[in-house]
Every structure is written in structure tokens, then in C-alpha cells.
Amino acid sequence: MATRTYPVLSRRQIEGLIADGRTIFILDQYVFKADPWLQYHPGGDKAILHMVGRDATDEVTALHSPEARQQMNKYRIGRIEGRWTNFIPPIQGGRFRPLADNEDAEDDNEECDQNSTESSSLLSSRDASPVFDNAETARKRHVGDGLRGPASTSSVSSAEPDDDGMTYLNTITKEKTTLDLEKYPSLDFATQDSIVAKYRDLDQRIRAEGLYKCNYGAYAIEVTRYSILFGLSFLFLHWGWYVPSAVCLGAFWHQLVFTAHDAGHMGITHGFHTDTVIGIIIADFLGGLSLGWWKRNHNVHHIVTNAPEHDPDIEHMPFLAVSHRFFQSMRSTYYDRIMEYDAVAKVMLRVQPYTYYILLLFGRLNLYRLSWDYLIMGRGPRKGPAWWHRWLEISGQLFFWTWYFYGVLYKSIPNNSGRFVFFLISHMVPMPVHAQICLSHFAMSTSDLGPHESFPQKMLRTTMDVDCPQWLDFFHGGLQFQVIHHLFPRIPRHNLRRTQKLVQEFCNDVGIPYALYGFVDGNRQVVGTLAEVSRQAAILAKCQKVISDSDDHGHHH
């Protein structure tokens, strides 16, 4: 069979297609139109929408098997020549010019291309603000000169609070963005291309060393531990020892999450349907949580990590905020709603350093809500290879609610007070997994450094690892290696410790800081971030009160 040839598409033609509403991205120098696949994508539509107008080669390679990538080839519509300069996707506020009938579709010169990318499609889901526009101007200078000269932040640091409060808070974000630009490698094309090339070489080295191969012996140990915890829970329940039973069941759920996470990333058998079924059995049938919801949520998190407007893993208004940008009532592109900075948020964010761990104790209840919203509203694919996953998940949910709520709580515990205590304890014990997830990102950068930052640099900038002894790996379940996991999501977790040394060498080579904290120090960083945002909320409230009092005073005169 003759190899199909594809036409070369100019940048202007691709921009016109996106302006017409087409879902276009670049993969290995080919142009893909994902419109026919959007509603069938097992990982959800949002993950694809965040790649529109971008070179998605590294993201697609990291999150998909070679077989899945091969199947994508049917959506090729053309190819490009030379280096691709990323647009900002429409979902993130990028604007694109339609291609007029009489317009020459040939590429503009490279300088115009870059300028149009920066200017015409730079607007994000926020309104224009002096902070981010100024930070972007600084970023453009950083890209343009390619130098790492220190930028002065003294004027930012010395800024005084002004009347509206938000301007003062915005100077803090501008300062952090400038510090990120100084701390991490330059965003010029040559530097970022070098990082990408070395990242891809590292991926090949990891494959050559067999680190993508699953250690099934390690999973035999995992299953043994799960079985002991589950068996002890029912043994204690039979004896009437309800508190130890609830503790064992909560510990069972805590441990199960790690293997469900592995299965969701196809990190066990590397087979899509096989790992999905394993994940659904663990998450839905045994844990009451939707694997499909998790995939949709988690894929977006891996692509737009720590972006306040886009990453659902840091969108917890009105209870928690890791950036003062949430004070602006931003619109979440994941939830398609405004995250209101309302009266409840103003109270909760002021006390969030103190309520953080209390809220995590009940984090599982929120996951139930999100799981049922996903399944009832049919937010997953209804056609394509994953069409039946929803129905298997609903069956799993009914099975879970039957064995846990009816079989355990109602039939096995004789009184309501005992049922309530059992429910609370069993749901509070898995709390460490929520702390472990938040620990990896809450204290890291939330700056937007623009569309030219490479995938590996963004993952390293927004993620931290937790330093722990090897014998504690079972407790952290691979979540202590989130940096490595974000760079290579499909590596089985039992190989992450071996991969860590290779990633550290890569970071030293390319000059990207590798964030590594102890568990206690990492938690201090997180609580410190929450306390800083809490203080900023207090500053804003004080400024707004001064303005209100001043207006009232003016009206009286």
C-alpha cells in the first residue's frame, strides 16, 4: 500500500481552520483535526481542547500508548514544515483570524507569526489586567533577548497598597512571575527546543532500561496487603469491633486509590480496556468513585497543571484558594462556571490555613458528588470504544452502595449512632491521600509563562516530589514521585524511584530546579501558601472596607 502524502498547511491556513471552529493540533509535524473524535475520547474533550493550536507531541506521547497514537493517524489532514509556534487555545481565551476568501494563505514571516501569536491569541479567560499584561511584557523581553540577566523586582516589592486592593495584590503575582522567569530557563525557542530534545532522549533511555515494564510481583504484594485490610475489616465487623473495622476499611480505600491511579494511566498491563476494567473494579465496585470522572479530570490536570482558570485539581472555591487570582471570581474552563468570590468564600479563605486538614478529612464525600455528576449527566463518551464504560461504572456504583451502605452500615451495625461513627471513621481515615495529592502542587508556581514554555519545564515548575525512605513507599503509593509521574505518567509506580535519579540528572543538565521536600517541610510549604493567600484576602477586605467607609463619608457631606 502506497504511503499517503499530506499537503503542507501554512500557519495562516491552520489559524483559519481554528477560527472556523475546527479542533486542530500538531503532532510529530503532522496537522490533526480531532473534531470527529472529540466526543469519543475516553480521556474527555477538555484535554483535547487545551491542545488546540499547539504542538501536542510531548503531551500526547506522555499520556497515550503507542497503539493509541497509531490510531490517531486517521485524523491527519496535513503537515507542517519547520518549527511550530504555539497559539493559545480558544478554551484559554486565544483569538484567531478567519481566513478570508481572497486572502493569501501563505505564511507571514516568522516575526509576524510570533507577534500574532503573542498579541492576537494571548488573551486568556480573564479580563486584561496590568499585572498579567506587565508580566507578559517582561516575558516577551525574556523570550526576545534569550538572556538570563536578573530583572529588578524592587519596584514591585516596594509597591504600597492602593485604593482598590487588587492592584496591590496583583503586584505580588507580577513579582512571582518575574521570579519564575529568573529561576527557570529562558523561554526563547533555542533553549526550550534543547530542553524538549533532551526530555525525549530521556524518555528513550527510560524505555531502554525497561522502566515502562510493570513489576507484577510488586502488585502481588499490593493485593496481599489489600486483602488483609479488607478481611480484617469484615472480621472486626463480625466481632462487633466497629471502630477497628472502620479504620481497616478506610485504610483499604486509601491503598486502593494508588492502584486505581495506575490503572487510569494504563500503567499496569498497558492495555486500554484491561486496565480500565481493573480501575473500574477498584474505584467503582470497591471504592464508590468513578474512574471515568477521574480520567476526565486528571488528564486536564496533567496538561494545564496549576493553572487557576483551567486545572480542576486546584479549583476548590469557596473553601480553598492557592492564589489571590481566585478573588477575581474567575471562570473555570473545566467546570464551565464562575468560581464566585462570594460571602462564603470571603469567610472560608480567611481561615483556610486552619480548616485545610479538616476539609481534607471529608474530601471523599466531594468525590462521591463529582462521580455521580459525571455518570448521571453523561459527561463521558457515549459512543466509540469506551461507550460501555459508563454502564459498567453505574453497575459498580450500585454494587458499592449495596454492600457498603446496606450490607455494612444498615445490616451489620445495630444502631444509628454506631452507623454514624463507622461512616465518619471509614471516610476520614483515607484523608492522607487527599493531603498527598494537594502536597504535590499547592505550594508550587501558578504563574502563566505563556504558550512557548515546554511541557517538561512546565511540569517541573508546577510540581514537587516528597522525599521519603523506601520502606514508606507503600504509604505514599507513588504520589511522592509526582514530578517523575507528571513527566512520564505511564511509568508503573514501582519503577518511579529508579527513574528519579535519571530525572534529577536531566534537571541538572538543562538547569531546571527539581523541587524535593520532606513530607513535613512540604506540608509547611502548602500551609504557608494557604496562609499567604489568607493574608491577601484580609488585605483586600481591609482596602474594600476603607473604600466603602470613604464613600459613605463622602455621601454624608
Side-chain angles (χ1 to χ4, degrees):
M1 181 182 295
T3 302
R4 179 180 174 184
T5 59
Y6 295 91
V8 175
L9 298 181
S10 71
R11 179 179 182 79
R12 188 68 191 90
Q13 286 175 301
I14 292 172
E15 182 182 9
L17 289 171
I18 297 173
D20 290 339
R22 302 290 184 263
T23 307
I24 305 293
F25 63 86
I26 310 301
L27 175 59
D28 285 332
Q29 296 296 105
Y30 286 97
V31 181
F32 286 71
K33 186 175 77 170
D35 300 74
W37 179 243
L38 200 62
Q39 61 180 322
Y40 305 137
H41 184 223
D45 58 338
K46 301 284 187 178
I48 297 177
L49 294 177
H50 281 290
M51 287 291 98
V52 172
R54 295 177 57 90
D55 185 337
T57 301
D58 293 317
E59 289 86 345
V60 169
T61 301
L63 292 166
H64 296 81
S65 67
E67 293 77 16
R69 287 197 54 181
Q70 187 65 30
Q71 293 175 5
M72 294 179 193
N73 290 341
K74 67 179 71 173
Y75 301 107
R76 290 175 177 175
I77 61 169
R79 57 188 176 91
I80 61 169
E81 291 182 339
R83 187 193 192 282
W84 179 256
T85 303
N86 288 332
F87 287 110
I88 289 182
I91 192 174
Q92 296 179 15
R95 295 180 180 177
F96 296 83
R97 301 167 295 169
L99 191 62
D101 291 338
N102 59 350
E103 181 179 348
D104 184 359
E106 294 299 317
D107 273 332
D108 302 329
N109 63 56
E110 182 63 29
E111 182 179 357
C112 291
D113 280 348
Q114 185 170 344
N115 288 339
S116 70
T117 302
E118 296 288 354
S119 60
S120 69
S121 67
L122 182 59
L123 298 177
S124 70
S125 55
R126 57 173 172 81
D127 293 331
S129 86
V131 177
F132 300 110
D133 294 340
N134 288 344
E136 178 62 23
T137 302
R139 185 186 64 74
K140 286 185 190 178
R141 289 196 296 269
H142 196 60
V143 172
D145 59 27
L147 300 177
R148 300 300 313 283
S152 172
T153 59
S154 59
S155 62
V156 174
S157 302
S158 61
E160 295 296 331
D162 62 5
D163 286 344
D164 67 3
M166 281 305 300
T167 303
Y168 168 68
L169 296 177
N170 284 342
T171 61
I172 299 173
T173 294
K174 187 172 101 171
E175 181 181 50
K176 290 183 176 180
T177 301
T178 304
L179 290 173
D180 276 348
L181 291 170
E182 293 176 345
K183 183 178 181 180
Y184 292 91
S186 170
L187 298 178
D188 68 86
F189 291 163
T191 300
Q192 293 300 305
D193 288 349
S194 175
I195 292 171
V196 168
K198 292 179 180 180
Y199 165 70
R200 294 175 183 176
D201 289 342
L202 174 61
D203 182 50
Q204 293 303 313
R205 181 180 175 187
I206 289 170
R207 293 177 189 277
E209 295 193 14
L211 295 176
Y212 275 95
K213 295 179 181 179
C214 183
N215 181 353
Y216 292 108
Y219 276 108
I221 297 173
E222 300 283 347
V223 171
T224 300
R225 182 164 55 250
Y226 303 162
S227 301
I228 290 172
L229 289 171
F230 197 62
L232 284 176
S233 177
F234 276 85
L235 179 62
F236 292 148
L237 185 66
H238 177 70
W239 288 347
W241 298 2
Y242 301 128
V243 171
S245 174
V247 169
C248 288
L249 183 58
F252 171 71
W253 284 338
H254 172 264
Q255 291 289 295
L256 278 185
V257 167
F258 306 138
T259 300
H261 180 253
D262 298 343
H265 278 294
M266 295 185 295
I268 301 177
T269 70
H270 299 303
F272 171 63
H273 288 300
T274 303
D275 278 1
T276 297
V277 170
I278 292 173
I280 289 175
I281 291 172
I282 293 171
D284 292 87
F285 283 78
L286 298 178
L289 306 177
S290 167
L291 185 76
W293 159 77
W294 176 86
K295 281 188 177 184
R296 184 174 187 261
N297 177 289
H298 200 65
N299 285 343
V300 173
H301 163 68
H302 268 268
I303 290 172
V304 288
T305 309
N306 263 27
E309 302 95 335
H310 313 299
D311 182 0
D313 274 18
I314 63 168
E315 294 178 346
H316 302 294
M317 292 288 281
F319 301 106
L320 295 170
V322 297
S323 168
H324 81 267
R325 291 166 64 186
F326 288 100
F327 302 166
Q328 297 171 303
S329 294
M330 294 185 301
R331 181 174 184 83
S332 166
T333 60
Y334 180 82
Y335 293 109
D336 291 323
R337 61 176 173 80
I338 301 295
M339 297 177 286
E340 295 285 355
Y341 184 56
D342 54 18
V344 175
K346 291 176 182 178
V347 172
M348 295 303 299
L349 298 192
R350 291 285 295 274
V351 297
Q352 66 176 4
Y354 311 103
T355 59
Y356 170 62
Y357 292 109
I358 297 173
L359 291 170
L360 294 185
L361 286 170
F362 303 98
R364 196 173 186 88
L365 303 182
N366 186 48
L367 301 188
Y368 288 149
R369 177 186 68 85
L370 293 169
S371 294
W372 275 100
D373 172 79
Y374 172 84
L375 293 172
I376 292 174
M377 301 304 294
R379 302 190 190 280
R382 300 190 182 192
K383 296 180 180 180
W387 71 267
W388 53 274
H389 292 177
R390 179 192 182 202
W391 301 108
L392 182 60
E393 286 205 82
I394 290 175
S395 300
Q397 292 288 321
L398 295 175
F399 179 83
F400 169 80
W401 283 66
T402 299
W403 76 258
Y404 177 72
F405 286 96
Y406 178 75
V408 173
L409 289 185
Y410 181 72
K411 293 291 289 184
S412 302
I413 301 175
N415 55 67
N416 288 333
S417 61
R419 292 166 184 150
F420 181 71
V421 170
F422 188 98
F423 177 85
L424 279 184
I425 293 175
S426 62
H427 283 75
M428 291 165 65
V429 168
M431 182 274 269
V433 75
H434 304 297
Q436 289 161 328
I437 293 170
C438 297
L439 176 60
S440 304
H441 301 289
F442 272 26
M444 298 302 289
S445 171
T446 58
S447 301
D448 178 6
L449 300 189
H452 305 314
E453 184 179 29
S454 63
F455 172 72
Q457 178 167 314
K458 181 164 63 174
M459 295 303 101
L460 287 160
R461 180 174 59 83
T462 56
T463 313
M464 76 161 68
D465 272 358
V466 177
D467 191 19
C468 75
Q470 187 170 353
W471 66 269
L472 261 181
D473 284 353
F474 82 94
F475 178 76
H476 291 283
L479 298 185
Q480 76 274 37
F481 298 119
Q482 281 291 283
V483 169
I484 297 97
H485 172 67
H486 269 254
L487 290 171
F488 307 102
R490 294 186 301 108
I491 292 180
R493 65 178 155 110
H494 301 103
N495 295 336
L496 292 175
R497 183 172 288 277
R498 290 171 56 197
T499 310
Q500 184 182 42
K501 295 179 181 179
L502 302 180
V503 170
Q504 288 174 324
E505 292 174 4
F506 164 76
C507 289
N508 292 334
D509 185 23
V510 299
I512 300 179
Y514 175 74
L516 180 65
Y517 292 88
F519 186 72
V520 174
D521 287 341
N523 275 276
R524 286 193 184 120
Q525 293 289 324
V526 170
V527 174
T529 297
L530 296 174
E532 180 183 9
V533 175
S534 180
R535 288 192 295 270
Q536 293 167 351
I539 292 172
L540 180 61
K542 182 177 179 180
C543 292
Q544 291 174 338
K545 185 176 186 303
V546 169
I547 294 171
S548 177
D549 291 345
S550 176
D551 288 344
D552 290 343
H553 182 73
H555 291 156
H556 286 305
H557 290 274

